[in-house]
Amino acid sequence: MTAQGSEPRQPERPLTIVVTGGNTGIGAAIVAAFARAGGNVAMDFVSNRDANAAIVADAADAGGRVVPVDADITAQAGLERIRDAALEAFGRIDVWVNNAGLETRHSLLETSEADFDRVIAVDLKATFFGTQVAARQFLAQGGPGVVVNVSSVHEDWPMPGNTTYCVAKGGVRMLTRTAGVELGGHGIRVVNVAPGAVDTPINTATMADPDQRARLTDAIPLHAVATPEQIADVVVFAASPQAAYMTATTIVVDGGIMQGSVGL
Ligand code: BGC
């Protein structure tokens, strides 16, 4: 991270960042990016726990620290558990990234109640209460803070066949706007980063099918899906002092897919 565009910024103390879903996909890239900036990171893990040791070691090599926490983010108590682990390890929290997300790719007509509950719990409920836990902690610290939500272009853009995901991300869009307005007076910023198509496990099926992959790539004006690192860089920016005047809004990082058209 740089101040005024050129000089390396040397923070007086390392920042502490919580990243949900930090051991896979975009989350792992976010953890690595903050670690490279010298940050202290606490991340939950539910699955993919075999990845933790390498993430911790890579972060240490890059000059950061990562504490993995066994916590269920779909329960408020699980989010408080990550908060407590971060406080125990690092003493305070500066940035909270609600990144964890999943999709089940079902249309309205196909969606089961269990599917709906799962997607809403991970994508919307965990983001809502993660924002609440973070904001309460920032207030308790008497200082500012930043919440970055990893939403999706589908916070605003219908994706037929992925209905609950769109509903959840639409909720995250409105959560960010409302919470940003409510918390602005406390110096707390809330910003969404909305990726388009990214090469992560959520898109494994699409990326593995050459036809689907070609169709997706053709629909993107920049003719490539994003790397997780390209999204992580924007998350780090949204959390940084360079984005100090941004709140209650969304930064779209989609290679132009939402504006694109296959044309005539
Ligand atoms: C979804 C992907 C989709 C992409 C672009 C993402 O939020 O998770 O399934 O390919 O948006 O439409």
XYZ file of all heavy atoms in Angstrom, residues 1 9 11 13-23 26-45 55 59 62-69 79 81-100 130 133-134 137-138 141 144-150 189 191 232-241:
650
model
N 0.844 -1.201 0.000
C 0.000 0.000 0.000
C 0.872 1.242 0.000
O 1.906 1.262 0.643
C -0.875 0.005 1.249
C -2.047 -0.918 1.129
S -3.256 -0.611 2.426
C -2.782 -1.881 3.572
N 3.828 3.162 2.449
C 3.225 3.612 3.704
C 3.702 2.694 4.831
O 3.601 1.489 4.750
C 1.699 3.528 3.605
C 0.983 4.303 4.672
C -0.486 4.372 4.342
N -1.152 3.100 4.574
C -1.735 2.776 5.716
N -1.774 3.615 6.712
N -2.321 1.602 5.860
N 2.705 1.819 8.362
C 1.784 2.046 9.468
C 2.521 1.962 10.800
O 3.475 1.200 10.934
C 0.779 0.912 9.327
C 1.333 -0.054 8.361
C 2.473 0.589 7.632
N 1.481 0.755 13.467
C 1.311 -0.605 13.981
C 0.607 -1.407 12.902
O -0.120 -0.846 12.081
C 0.484 -0.587 15.277
C -0.863 0.008 15.057
C -1.789 -0.117 16.237
N -3.045 0.555 15.901
C -3.983 0.039 15.127
N -3.837 -1.175 14.632
N -5.065 0.719 14.841
N 0.809 -2.734 12.901
C 0.131 -3.522 11.864
C -1.381 -3.471 12.062
O -1.859 -3.432 13.198
C 0.641 -4.946 12.106
C 1.665 -4.883 13.161
C 1.610 -3.536 13.813
N -2.119 -3.443 10.968
C -3.576 -3.488 11.057
C -4.032 -4.920 11.328
O -3.388 -5.875 10.905
C -4.205 -3.011 9.745
C -3.971 -1.566 9.341
C -4.744 -1.251 8.066
C -4.366 -0.602 10.464
N -5.149 -5.033 12.021
C -5.760 -6.346 12.213
C -7.014 -6.434 11.349
O -7.870 -5.548 11.388
C -6.127 -6.593 13.687
O -4.930 -6.591 14.454
C -6.824 -7.936 13.858
N -7.083 -7.514 10.592
C -8.167 -7.704 9.630
C -8.821 -9.060 9.882
O -8.123 -10.069 10.018
C -7.605 -7.687 8.185
C -6.822 -6.406 7.930
C -8.724 -7.841 7.164
C -5.319 -6.551 7.985
N -10.136 -9.096 9.958
C -10.868 -10.363 9.996
C -11.359 -10.641 8.584
O -11.900 -9.746 7.922
C -12.060 -10.292 10.969
C -12.972 -11.517 10.800
C -11.566 -10.181 12.412
N -11.144 -11.855 8.112
C -11.625 -12.251 6.780
C -12.437 -13.535 6.926
O -11.889 -14.572 7.324
C -10.458 -12.489 5.797
C -10.999 -12.847 4.405
C -9.548 -11.273 5.710
N -13.737 -13.483 6.629
C -14.509 -14.730 6.663
C -14.287 -15.492 5.354
O -14.055 -14.898 4.306
C -16.018 -14.479 6.883
O -16.559 -13.820 5.724
C -16.272 -13.650 8.135
N -14.323 -16.801 5.465
C -14.077 -17.631 4.274
C -12.681 -17.404 3.725
O -12.465 -17.406 2.512
N -11.719 -17.244 4.612
C -10.379 -16.797 4.196
C -9.431 -17.893 3.748
O -8.297 -17.584 3.399
N -9.880 -19.144 3.758
C -8.896 -20.164 3.381
C -9.163 -20.796 2.016
O -8.610 -21.825 1.688
C -8.746 -21.222 4.486
C -9.919 -22.167 4.550
O -10.916 -21.970 3.861
N -9.813 -23.186 5.373
N -11.451 -16.383 -3.349
C -11.136 -14.956 -3.211
C -10.642 -14.669 -1.791
O -9.727 -13.865 -1.593
C -12.386 -14.096 -3.527
C -12.798 -14.251 -4.993
C -12.122 -12.615 -3.224
C -14.153 -13.592 -5.330
N -11.219 -15.352 -0.807
C -10.831 -15.119 0.596
C -9.350 -15.382 0.830
O -8.671 -14.598 1.510
N -8.834 -16.464 0.264
C -7.415 -16.786 0.459
C -6.532 -15.710 -0.177
O -5.473 -15.350 0.365
C -7.112 -18.162 -0.138
N -6.972 -15.182 -1.319
C -6.198 -14.109 -1.963
C -6.258 -12.833 -1.121
O -5.276 -12.078 -1.055
C -6.744 -13.850 -3.368
N -7.400 -12.586 -0.476
C -7.526 -11.398 0.384
C -6.595 -11.539 1.586
O -5.879 -10.594 1.956
C -8.996 -11.218 0.844
C -9.896 -10.875 -0.345
C -9.099 -10.137 1.920
C -11.395 -10.905 -0.031
N -6.592 -12.719 2.193
C -5.706 -12.953 3.344
C -4.251 -12.733 2.926
O -3.484 -12.045 3.607
C -5.917 -14.383 3.908
C -4.828 -14.732 4.908
C -7.299 -14.495 4.550
N -3.870 -13.286 1.783
C -2.479 -13.148 1.313
C -2.142 -11.687 1.033
O -1.040 -11.217 1.357
C -2.265 -13.998 0.060
N -3.088 -10.954 0.459
C -2.821 -9.546 0.121
C -2.632 -8.711 1.396
O -1.728 -7.875 1.467
C -3.968 -8.980 -0.725
N -3.476 -8.940 2.383
C -3.297 -8.201 3.646
C -1.998 -8.622 4.338
O -1.312 -7.794 4.949
C -4.492 -8.401 4.574
C -5.662 -7.496 4.263
C -6.883 -8.011 3.857
C -5.543 -6.113 4.376
C -7.964 -7.179 3.580
C -6.612 -5.261 4.096
C -7.828 -5.799 3.695
N -1.660 -9.900 4.261
C -0.416 -10.371 4.885
C 0.790 -9.708 4.225
O 1.737 -9.290 4.906
C -0.321 -11.887 4.777
N 0.737 -9.572 2.896
C 1.841 -8.907 2.184
C 1.994 -7.456 2.629
O 3.087 -6.903 2.594
C 1.613 -8.947 0.668
C 2.068 -10.236 0.013
C 2.212 -10.057 -1.505
N 1.010 -9.544 -2.133
C -0.047 -10.285 -2.480
N -0.029 -11.586 -2.251
N -1.109 -9.743 -3.040
N 0.873 -6.849 3.043
C 0.928 -5.459 3.528
C 1.305 -5.413 5.008
O 1.220 -4.361 5.636
C -0.421 -4.786 3.285
N 1.704 -6.574 5.567
C 2.154 -6.615 6.961
C 1.028 -6.741 7.969
O 1.219 -6.492 9.162
N -0.161 -7.146 7.507
C -1.323 -7.195 8.398
C -1.373 -8.439 9.273
O -0.748 -9.461 8.992
N -2.143 -8.317 10.361
C -2.506 -9.444 11.216
C -3.908 -9.876 10.817
O -4.827 -9.051 10.822
C -2.543 -9.026 12.690
C -1.171 -8.638 13.207
O -0.178 -9.239 12.821
N -1.136 -7.642 14.078
N -4.074 -11.149 10.502
C -5.363 -11.598 9.984
C -5.934 -12.725 10.844
O -5.210 -13.660 11.211
C -5.226 -12.109 8.526
C -6.587 -12.530 7.973
C -4.589 -11.052 7.632
N -7.225 -12.634 11.152
C -7.942 -13.774 11.731
C -8.953 -14.233 10.690
O -9.656 -13.409 10.099
C -8.660 -13.377 13.012
N -8.999 -15.539 10.443
C -9.947 -16.061 9.443
C -10.618 -17.319 9.998
O -9.995 -18.095 10.715
C -9.227 -16.398 8.135
C -8.195 -17.495 8.285
S -7.499 -18.027 6.716
C -6.755 -19.613 7.205
N -11.880 -17.495 9.673
C -12.557 -18.726 10.065
C -12.271 -19.803 9.035
O -11.802 -19.517 7.937
C -14.068 -18.501 10.117
C -14.606 -18.213 8.732
O -14.287 -17.127 8.220
O -15.290 -19.065 8.138
N -12.527 -21.034 9.420
C -12.507 -22.102 8.421
C -13.549 -23.125 8.841
O -13.765 -23.372 10.019
C -11.133 -22.759 8.326
C -10.673 -23.401 9.598
C -10.926 -24.732 9.858
C -10.008 -22.654 10.559
C -10.512 -25.321 11.044
C -9.593 -23.233 11.743
C -9.846 -24.572 11.999
N -1.355 -21.445 4.336
C -1.749 -20.022 4.354
C -1.019 -19.296 5.486
O -0.498 -18.185 5.303
C -3.293 -19.906 4.496
C -3.961 -20.368 3.201
C -3.711 -18.480 4.839
C -5.474 -20.474 3.257
N 1.858 -16.456 4.800
C 1.663 -15.118 5.378
C 2.890 -14.722 6.200
O 3.363 -13.581 6.119
C 0.411 -15.096 6.246
N 5.581 -13.608 4.107
C 5.314 -12.293 3.496
C 5.340 -11.166 4.528
O 5.138 -10.003 4.175
C 3.955 -12.325 2.796
N 5.523 -11.512 5.794
C 5.617 -10.459 6.812
C 4.342 -10.236 7.598
O 4.234 -9.294 8.380
N 3.335 -11.097 7.395
C 2.078 -10.948 8.139
C 1.858 -12.113 9.088
O 2.691 -13.019 9.191
N 0.729 -12.079 9.792
C 0.376 -13.180 10.689
C -1.068 -13.583 10.448
O -1.926 -12.720 10.254
C 0.523 -12.750 12.149
C 1.966 -12.674 12.599
C 2.035 -12.118 14.018
N 1.409 -13.009 14.998
C 1.037 -12.619 16.220
N 1.180 -11.362 16.594
N 0.503 -13.481 17.070
N -1.323 -14.886 10.447
C -2.693 -15.371 10.242
C -3.060 -16.338 11.363
O -2.298 -17.253 11.669
C -2.833 -16.096 8.880
C -4.216 -16.730 8.749
C -2.613 -15.114 7.723
N -4.219 -16.102 11.965
C -4.747 -17.007 12.983
C -6.029 -17.641 12.441
O -7.021 -16.937 12.221
C -5.067 -16.227 14.283
C -5.807 -17.108 15.272
C -3.793 -15.689 14.896
N -6.014 -18.956 12.186
C -7.250 -19.624 11.756
C -8.134 -19.927 12.971
O -7.638 -20.326 14.011
C -6.756 -20.934 11.129
C -5.267 -20.842 11.075
C -4.854 -19.870 12.132
N -9.436 -19.722 12.806
C -10.376 -19.917 13.915
C -11.470 -20.883 13.466
O -12.088 -20.669 12.420
C -11.038 -18.570 14.316
C -11.841 -18.742 15.599
C -10.007 -17.453 14.452
N -19.388 -15.749 14.870
C -18.734 -14.492 14.470
C -18.062 -13.849 15.688
O -16.947 -13.314 15.592
C -19.761 -13.551 13.844
C -20.330 -14.078 12.514
C -21.687 -13.456 12.213
C -19.350 -13.838 11.382
N -16.883 -15.431 18.109
C -15.717 -16.276 18.387
C -14.499 -15.809 17.556
O -13.381 -15.766 18.063
C -16.090 -17.700 17.987
C -15.289 -18.780 18.572
C -15.893 -20.073 18.002
N -14.872 -21.096 18.018
C -14.902 -22.108 18.871
N -15.862 -22.237 19.734
N -13.939 -23.003 18.827
N -14.733 -15.463 16.304
C -13.625 -14.947 15.467
C -13.156 -13.615 16.047
O -11.957 -13.353 16.140
C -14.061 -14.735 13.998
C -14.729 -15.977 13.437
C -12.858 -14.343 13.139
C -15.308 -15.763 12.051
N -14.124 -12.746 16.398
C -13.763 -11.460 17.016
C -12.871 -11.698 18.242
O -11.813 -11.079 18.374
C -15.041 -10.723 17.445
C -14.771 -9.447 18.243
C -15.985 -9.050 19.068
N -16.298 -10.057 20.077
C -17.454 -10.152 20.726
N -18.419 -9.295 20.500
N -17.655 -11.110 21.618
N -13.299 -12.618 19.111
C -12.547 -12.849 20.349
C -11.149 -13.390 20.054
O -10.175 -13.004 20.708
C -13.313 -13.807 21.263
C -14.597 -13.168 21.786
O -14.736 -11.928 21.676
O -15.468 -13.908 22.286
N -11.046 -14.269 19.055
C -9.729 -14.825 18.700
C -8.819 -13.720 18.161
O -7.624 -13.668 18.475
C -9.887 -15.939 17.672
N -9.405 -12.828 17.355
C -8.600 -11.716 16.806
C -8.131 -10.800 17.939
O -6.976 -10.367 17.970
C -9.428 -10.923 15.787
N -9.025 -10.534 18.887
C -8.664 -9.639 19.996
C -7.604 -10.287 20.883
O -6.664 -9.620 21.339
C -9.898 -9.282 20.820
C -10.938 -8.427 20.092
C -12.157 -8.184 20.973
C -10.335 -7.098 19.633
N -7.770 -11.591 21.109
C -6.798 -12.284 21.960
C -5.403 -12.276 21.312
O -4.398 -12.033 21.972
C -7.262 -13.718 22.188
C -6.523 -14.396 23.324
C -6.941 -15.859 23.459
O -8.149 -16.153 23.324
O -6.037 -16.688 23.665
N -5.382 -12.495 20.008
C -4.085 -12.574 19.318
C -3.481 -11.192 19.057
O -2.265 -11.009 19.146
C -4.241 -13.324 17.995
N -4.331 -10.218 18.726
C -3.793 -8.954 18.185
C -4.252 -7.703 18.929
O -3.794 -6.601 18.619
C -4.186 -8.824 16.711
C -3.808 -10.030 15.874
C -4.769 -10.714 15.135
C -2.495 -10.481 15.816
C -4.439 -11.824 14.363
C -2.153 -11.585 15.048
C -3.126 -12.257 14.322
N -5.240 -7.829 19.833
C -5.608 -6.702 20.700
C -6.690 -5.766 20.182
O -7.310 -5.060 20.965
N -6.904 -5.716 18.874
C -7.959 -4.864 18.328
C -8.292 -5.326 16.901
O -7.590 -6.186 16.354
C -7.556 -3.387 18.331
C -6.340 -3.044 17.475
C -6.023 -1.571 17.525
N -6.947 -0.794 16.711
C -7.616 0.266 17.178
N -7.473 0.679 18.406
N -8.428 0.942 16.375
N -9.340 -4.748 16.328
C -9.717 -5.067 14.945
C -9.880 -3.753 14.185
O -10.534 -2.827 14.678
C -11.030 -5.883 14.889
C -10.858 -7.215 15.628
C -11.454 -6.136 13.442
C -12.165 -7.996 15.811
N -9.266 -3.653 13.024
C -9.351 -2.429 12.214
C -10.268 -2.591 11.007
O -10.905 -1.627 10.581
C -7.952 -2.044 11.720
C -6.997 -1.834 12.882
O -7.138 -0.827 13.587
O -6.129 -2.709 13.109
N -10.266 -3.792 10.441
C -11.007 -4.042 9.186
C -11.688 -5.396 9.314
O -11.099 -6.355 9.828
C -10.035 -4.085 7.975
C -10.786 -4.414 6.688
C -9.255 -2.788 7.842
N -12.938 -5.463 8.852
C -13.652 -6.751 8.873
C -14.143 -7.006 7.454
O -14.893 -6.201 6.896
C -14.834 -6.688 9.846
C -15.546 -7.998 10.045
C -16.297 -8.669 9.123
C -15.583 -8.787 11.242
N -16.803 -9.833 9.675
C -16.384 -9.919 10.979
C -15.026 -8.638 12.528
C -16.639 -10.904 11.936
C -15.293 -9.624 13.481
C -16.083 -10.730 13.175
N -13.731 -8.127 6.860
C -14.133 -8.456 5.492
C -15.115 -9.638 5.517
O -14.744 -10.757 5.886
C -12.912 -8.817 4.614
C -13.368 -9.083 3.169
C -11.859 -7.718 4.653
N -16.365 -9.351 5.171
C -17.373 -10.412 5.036
C -17.251 -10.981 3.631
O -17.867 -10.474 2.688
C -18.774 -9.833 5.266
C -18.994 -9.402 6.698
O -18.832 -10.193 7.630
N -19.330 -8.135 6.898
N -16.429 -12.015 3.508
C -16.140 -12.558 2.177
C -16.851 -13.880 1.891
O -17.167 -14.169 0.738
C -14.616 -12.764 2.047
C -14.280 -13.766 0.972
O -14.325 -13.450 -0.220
N -13.991 -15.003 1.364
N -17.107 -14.681 2.910
C -17.613 -16.045 2.682
C -18.895 -16.021 1.856
O -19.768 -15.180 2.078
C -17.878 -16.732 4.018
N -21.923 -10.228 10.770
C -20.492 -9.885 10.756
C -20.317 -8.376 10.819
O -19.474 -7.845 11.553
N -21.184 -7.316 14.434
C -20.111 -7.643 15.393
C -18.935 -6.692 15.193
O -18.361 -6.171 16.158
C -19.680 -9.121 15.228
C -18.389 -9.401 15.993
C -20.782 -10.055 15.696
N -18.584 -6.449 13.939
C -17.461 -5.549 13.642
C -17.764 -4.135 14.131
O -16.938 -3.509 14.815
C -17.190 -5.534 12.139
N -17.590 -3.714 17.800
C -16.194 -3.735 18.261
C -15.504 -2.406 17.954
O -14.773 -1.867 18.792
C -15.447 -4.913 17.604
C -13.996 -5.021 18.008
C -13.799 -5.164 19.513
O -14.639 -5.742 20.204
N -12.710 -4.594 20.034
N -15.721 -1.862 16.765
C -15.097 -0.568 16.433
C -15.553 0.494 17.436
O -14.751 1.310 17.902
C -15.476 -0.121 15.013
C -14.993 -1.050 13.911
C -15.720 -1.172 12.724
C -13.822 -1.783 14.037
C -15.288 -2.015 11.704
C -13.386 -2.630 13.033
C -14.123 -2.751 11.859
N -13.886 0.120 20.747
C -12.494 0.575 20.684
C -12.411 2.106 20.664
O -11.326 2.676 20.763
C -11.812 0.013 19.423
C -11.600 -1.481 19.464
C -11.174 -2.086 18.130
O -11.000 -3.293 18.048
N -11.005 -1.290 17.094
N -12.352 4.463 14.552
C -12.981 4.179 13.268
C -12.832 2.692 12.918
O -12.255 1.915 13.686
C -12.174 5.043 12.294
C -10.820 5.114 12.901
C -11.014 5.059 14.387
N -13.324 2.355 11.774
C -13.185 0.980 11.304
C -13.782 0.871 9.918
O -14.489 1.776 9.458
N -13.471 -0.224 9.256
C -13.986 -0.438 7.903
C -14.551 -1.851 7.790
O -13.918 -2.814 8.229
C -12.872 -0.278 6.827
C -13.483 -0.352 5.427
C -12.091 1.000 7.010
N -15.730 -1.950 7.188
C -16.292 -3.253 6.818
C -16.281 -3.313 5.291
O -16.768 -2.383 4.631
C -17.742 -3.412 7.325
C -18.349 -4.719 6.811
C -17.792 -3.347 8.850
N -15.710 -4.375 4.742
C -15.776 -4.603 3.295
C -16.552 -5.898 3.066
O -16.198 -6.948 3.618
C -14.373 -4.713 2.660
C -14.505 -4.896 1.136
C -13.513 -3.501 2.973
N -17.612 -5.800 2.302
C -18.411 -6.980 1.966
C -18.085 -7.410 0.537
O -18.127 -6.587 -0.379
C -19.904 -6.664 2.053
C -20.315 -6.303 3.471
O -19.823 -6.898 4.433
N -21.176 -5.315 3.599
N -17.770 -8.678 0.363
C -17.576 -9.182 -0.997
C -18.950 -9.634 -1.485
O -19.481 -10.651 -1.039
C -16.552 -10.327 -1.028
C -16.411 -10.859 -2.455
C -15.203 -9.839 -0.496
N -16.807 3.002 7.941
C -17.172 2.886 6.526
C -17.624 1.459 6.224
O -17.096 0.503 6.792
C -15.984 3.235 5.634
C -15.493 4.660 5.778
C -14.508 5.043 4.681
N -13.257 4.285 4.667
C -12.928 3.399 3.746
N -13.734 3.122 2.729
N -11.752 2.780 3.806
N -18.332 -0.811 2.704
C -18.205 -0.784 1.237
C -18.352 -2.205 0.688
O -17.807 -3.158 1.257
C -16.821 -0.222 0.825
C -16.652 -0.252 -0.688
C -16.626 1.194 1.351
N -8.863 -9.262 -4.729
C -8.255 -8.981 -3.421
C -7.603 -7.597 -3.396
O -7.689 -6.872 -2.393
C -7.223 -10.059 -3.092
N -6.961 -7.218 -4.493
C -6.310 -5.896 -4.547
C -7.325 -4.779 -4.306
O -7.024 -3.777 -3.652
C -5.648 -5.675 -5.915
C -4.337 -6.441 -6.051
O -3.810 -6.905 -5.024
O -3.863 -6.581 -7.200
N -8.532 -4.950 -4.839
C -9.560 -3.912 -4.679
C -10.115 -3.928 -3.248
O -10.434 -2.876 -2.682
C -10.672 -4.074 -5.738
C -11.744 -3.010 -5.565
C -10.064 -3.985 -7.145
N -10.192 -5.102 -2.655
C -10.633 -5.185 -1.249
C -9.632 -4.438 -0.356
O -10.022 -3.667 0.525
C -10.781 -6.660 -0.805
C -11.009 -6.760 0.702
C -11.936 -7.326 -1.562
N -8.345 -4.658 -0.600
C -7.313 -3.968 0.195
C -7.442 -2.453 -0.011
O -7.374 -1.675 0.946
C -5.895 -4.464 -0.189
C -4.820 -3.594 0.461
C -5.727 -5.917 0.231
N -7.682 -2.039 -1.248
C -7.883 -0.608 -1.525
C -9.098 -0.072 -0.764
O -9.031 0.971 -0.100
C -8.068 -0.374 -3.035
C -8.677 0.961 -3.355
C -7.929 2.125 -3.243
C -10.014 1.057 -3.727
C -8.499 3.362 -3.509
C -10.595 2.293 -3.988
C -9.835 3.450 -3.875
N -10.223 -0.808 -0.831
C -11.459 -0.337 -0.177
C -11.257 -0.154 1.316
O -11.877 0.716 1.944
C -12.600 -1.324 -0.441
N -10.366 -0.972 1.899
C -10.113 -0.900 3.346
C -9.082 0.156 3.700
O -8.895 0.473 4.872
C -9.640 -2.270 3.839
N -8.416 0.723 2.706
C -7.250 1.579 2.960
C -7.645 3.052 3.111
O -8.740 3.464 2.710
C -6.260 1.458 1.793
O -6.756 2.187 0.676
N -6.739 3.865 3.637
C -7.012 5.303 3.732
C -7.218 5.945 2.361
O -7.833 7.000 2.258
C -5.736 5.862 4.395
C -5.102 4.702 5.080
C -5.451 3.497 4.268
